[in-house]
Amino acid sequence: MRPSDLPEIRHLPLFSEMLQANFEQLMQGAYAQNFPAGVELIHQGDPADFLHIVVEGAVELFAEWGGQSCTMALVQPVGTFILAACIKDAPYLMSARTLEKSRIILIPAPDLRAVFRRDPEFAVSTINELAGCYRAVVRHAKGLKLRSSRERVAAYLVKHLRRVAPRQCFDLPVEKRLIASYLGMTPENLSRTLRLLEADGVTVLGTRVTVTDYARLAAVAQPDPLLDGPDP
Amino acid sequence: MRPSDLPEIRHLPLFSEMLQANFEQLMQGAYAQNFPAGVELIHQGDPADFLHIVVEGAVELFAEWGGQSCTMALVQPVGTFILAACIKDAPYLMSARTLEKSRIILIPAPDLRAVFRRDPEFAVSTINELAGCYRAVVRHAKGLKLRSSRERVAAYLVKHLRRVAPRQCFDLPVEKRLIASYLGMTPENLSRTLRLLEADGVTVLGTRVTVTDYARLAAVAQPDPLLDGPDP
DNA sequence: TCATTAAATTGACAAATATCAATCATATCA
DNA sequence: TGATATGATTGATATTTGTCAATTTAATGA
């Protein structure tokens, strides 16, 4: 574990409120590992051994069934994943792979479970973290069921325009095939949809997204905090 | 609050481990209410005031956007809902309505938040409850993205055959239009799909489902605990 | 730099799913 | 019990989305 990792982790909402002694103990059992891009960190169905924290790089959470695969979430620094499986001591529901060269902190699941039994502040933080994760998946499921693929794409663009940059343009954070999979559609369908959205005030050239008419795009997306998350 | 309500609630995993004193305090602020069928208990977007517990009847959680609506979950006795919104003190992501005459216990959200800060056992139970809810939605989202509607219907039947009754037949727990909405399809599509599944060892007459060839149906559904939940 | 691989795009087509309308069945209630 | 409303089913059709194949574009590494 690198000394510079600690403050970053300590500042995560999940760890910021707990007692220093407990944090130190948690970190004592933890270790860091560097992975190249494209490494499968965990495989769905395996027993949950470690809470994972992405310190550098990017990780894709994906799911497989019947020979297919789909992206479920993207974790970027500094973020944790598969907390719920660790807590329930249950098999992972999702697999995870690095999208780029990544640095991951691993905290043994039993340590985690032991500490939140002792440290009420950490328990409260865990509760808040889980509640947040739950709400994020509910929003995602709502989007899948209530919006058409065109609306999902528009909403994705609006969301990133507001979050990543308040300006008229931004770069897509990952490959389009991942975005397509995350949005529950094929790459071909995404490609065509982006082309069609040019009539609604947005142009995509490579990874560069330029919004020429926000109102028009928003009219397609109908952004809603109950589907897209809170405004900031 | 009826005296007979208490033991039932106390036996819920969420409340079974906490100190009696804290349970009593929680129940002191709580109250019960009886509702006829078809009442909207909560509306998405409203601030989260109360944790809801269904003691009798049945409640549908649904979501709305752009003039459409879809079923997200079904809560039956004895079960809780919208815990996450209460914890985060955030707007409800889903609306809820009674499907039949129902008896609901309401626990003020601030009481809830106060008690799990004091009672570590309750905090741990809350963590487990939330982790379970999270995993349930993840499984639901996986099903929506990875399975076709035919496969979702088959999986739904297999799941209920194993859960509700180990025998060859059972009754659908709710109206077909709700099942369709829950599975992310139209009632017409569900109707046709059920007819087509007759070639795969299942017959549906009204609400009665009869499975004549489990192996065949299971071959369509490819049941998987990572999508359908644990076996029991 | 070029060669090689992977991703993105495009077109033609097929399949899945939704929509609309009509009918049938079922439940509810006066 | 019969009248009425609601849900379920069915057929015809439109729309959406996926699949397959071919090509272009971009990224990567020797």
Side-chain angles (χ1 to χ4, degrees):
Chain A
M1 177 90 75
R2 200 188 288 165
S4 63
D5 289 335
L6 286 174
E8 276 191 310
I9 299 170
R10 185 60 157 142
H11 279 98
L12 286 171
L14 184 56
F15 300 106
S16 62
E17 305 299 320
M18 69 195 304
L19 280 176
Q20 179 63 20
N22 290 325
F23 178 71
E24 279 167 12
Q25 205 216 319
L26 218 48
M27 289 304 121
Q28 210 133 41
Y31 62 98
Q33 241 180 309
N34 294 303
F35 298 95
V39 170
E40 187 165 316
L41 300 171
I42 61 182
H43 186 78
Q44 63 175 35
D46 287 350
D49 295 329
F50 298 97
L51 175 67
H52 288 57
I53 306 174
V54 188
V55 181
E56 290 169 25
V59 171
E60 177 198 3
L61 301 184
F62 63 102
E64 293 167 289
W65 181 85
Q68 314 165 72
S69 158
C70 73
T71 303
M72 297 295 290
L74 194 74
V75 189
Q76 277 171 331
V78 183
T80 68
F81 57 96
I82 48 146
L83 176 58
C86 291
I87 284 166
K88 296 232 91 168
D89 198 13
Y92 297 124
L93 292 182
M94 298 181 277
S95 301
R97 75 163 68 92
T98 54
L99 289 177
E100 36 187 279
K101 196 164 162 300
S102 297
R103 183 170 172 78
I104 312 283
I105 311 287
L106 300 150
I107 301 177
D111 292 8
L112 207 70
R113 291 193 290 267
V115 171
F116 69 58
R117 288 186 166 275
R118 267 211 319 275
D119 189 327
E121 284 305 323
F122 182 54
V124 171
S125 300
T126 305
I127 287 171
N128 273 296
E129 180 87 3
L130 281 171
C133 291
Y134 170 77
R135 287 169 64 86
V137 195
V138 168
R139 286 192 297 261
H140 189 222
K142 284 178 68 171
L144 290 171
K145 291 178 104 167
L146 290 169
R147 291 210 258 231
S148 70
S149 67
R150 173 163 171 269
E151 290 161 342
R152 291 201 295 278
V153 173
Y156 179 90
L157 295 178
V158 166
K159 184 173 174 175
H160 280 260
L161 187 68
R162 294 201 289 190
R163 256 224 308 233
V164 177
R167 283 176 288 162
Q168 287 183 323
C169 59
F170 65 98
D171 282 302
L172 294 172
V174 288
E175 290 171 347
K176 285 183 187 157
R177 48 183 270 275
L178 285 182
I179 296 173
S181 180
Y182 175 71
L183 296 176
M185 58 200 292
T186 59
E188 294 94 329
N189 193 10
L190 174 61
S191 186
R192 279 184 253 269
T193 302
L194 287 175
R195 193 107 352 267
L196 287 174
L197 281 176
E198 283 182 2
D200 298 284
V202 64
T203 315
V204 182
L205 270 169
T207 61
R208 190 121 204 104
V209 179
T210 310
V211 178
T212 56
D213 188 342
Y214 178 81
R216 245 184 122 79
L217 181 62
V220 177
Q222 291 178 250
D224 178 341
L226 302 182
L227 275 83
D228 305 303
D231 281 326
Chain B
M1 177 90 74
R2 201 188 287 164
S4 63
D5 289 335
L6 287 173
E8 277 189 310
I9 299 170
R10 185 63 155 140
H11 279 98
L12 286 171
L14 184 57
F15 300 106
S16 61
E17 304 299 320
M18 68 195 305
L19 280 177
Q20 179 64 19
N22 290 326
F23 179 70
E24 280 168 12
Q25 204 215 318
L26 218 48
M27 288 304 122
Q28 211 131 39
Y31 62 98
Q33 241 180 308
N34 294 302
F35 298 95
V39 171
E40 186 165 316
L41 300 172
I42 62 184
H43 186 78
Q44 64 174 34
D46 287 351
D49 295 329
F50 298 97
L51 175 67
H52 289 56
I53 306 175
V54 187
V55 181
E56 291 169 25
V59 170
E60 176 199 4
L61 300 184
F62 63 102
E64 293 166 291
W65 181 84
Q68 314 164 73
S69 157
C70 73
T71 303
M72 297 296 291
L74 194 73
V75 189
Q76 276 170 330
V78 182
T80 68
F81 57 95
I82 46 147
L83 176 58
C86 291
I87 283 167
K88 296 231 91 167
D89 198 12
Y92 295 126
L93 293 182
M94 297 182 276
S95 300
R97 75 164 69 92
T98 54
L99 290 176
E100 36 187 282
K101 198 165 161 299
S102 299
R103 184 170 171 78
I104 313 283
I105 311 288
L106 300 150
I107 301 177
D111 292 9
L112 209 69
R113 291 193 290 267
V115 171
F116 68 58
R117 287 186 165 275
R118 267 212 319 275
D119 189 327
E121 284 305 322
F122 183 54
V124 171
S125 301
T126 304
I127 287 171
N128 274 295
E129 180 87 3
L130 281 171
C133 291
Y134 170 76
R135 287 169 64 86
V137 195
V138 169
R139 285 192 298 260
H140 189 221
K142 283 178 68 171
L144 289 171
K145 290 178 106 168
L146 291 169
R147 292 210 257 230
S148 68
S149 65
R150 175 164 170 266
E151 290 161 342
R152 292 200 294 277
V153 172
Y156 180 89
L157 296 177
V158 166
K159 183 173 175 175
H160 279 258
L161 187 69
R162 294 202 288 190
R163 259 229 302 238
V164 178
R167 283 176 288 164
Q168 287 182 322
C169 59
F170 66 97
D171 282 302
L172 294 172
V174 289
E175 290 170 347
K176 285 185 185 154
R177 48 181 270 274
L178 286 182
I179 296 173
S181 180
Y182 176 71
L183 296 176
M185 57 202 291
T186 58
E188 293 95 328
N189 194 10
L190 173 62
S191 185
R192 280 185 251 269
T193 302
L194 287 174
R195 193 106 353 266
L196 287 174
L197 282 176
E198 283 182 2
D200 297 285
V202 64
T203 316
V204 182
L205 270 168
T207 62
R208 190 124 204 101
V209 179
T210 310
V211 177
T212 56
D213 188 343
Y214 178 81
R216 247 184 121 79
L217 181 62
V220 177
Q222 291 178 249
D224 179 341
L226 302 182
L227 276 80
D228 305 303
D231 281 326

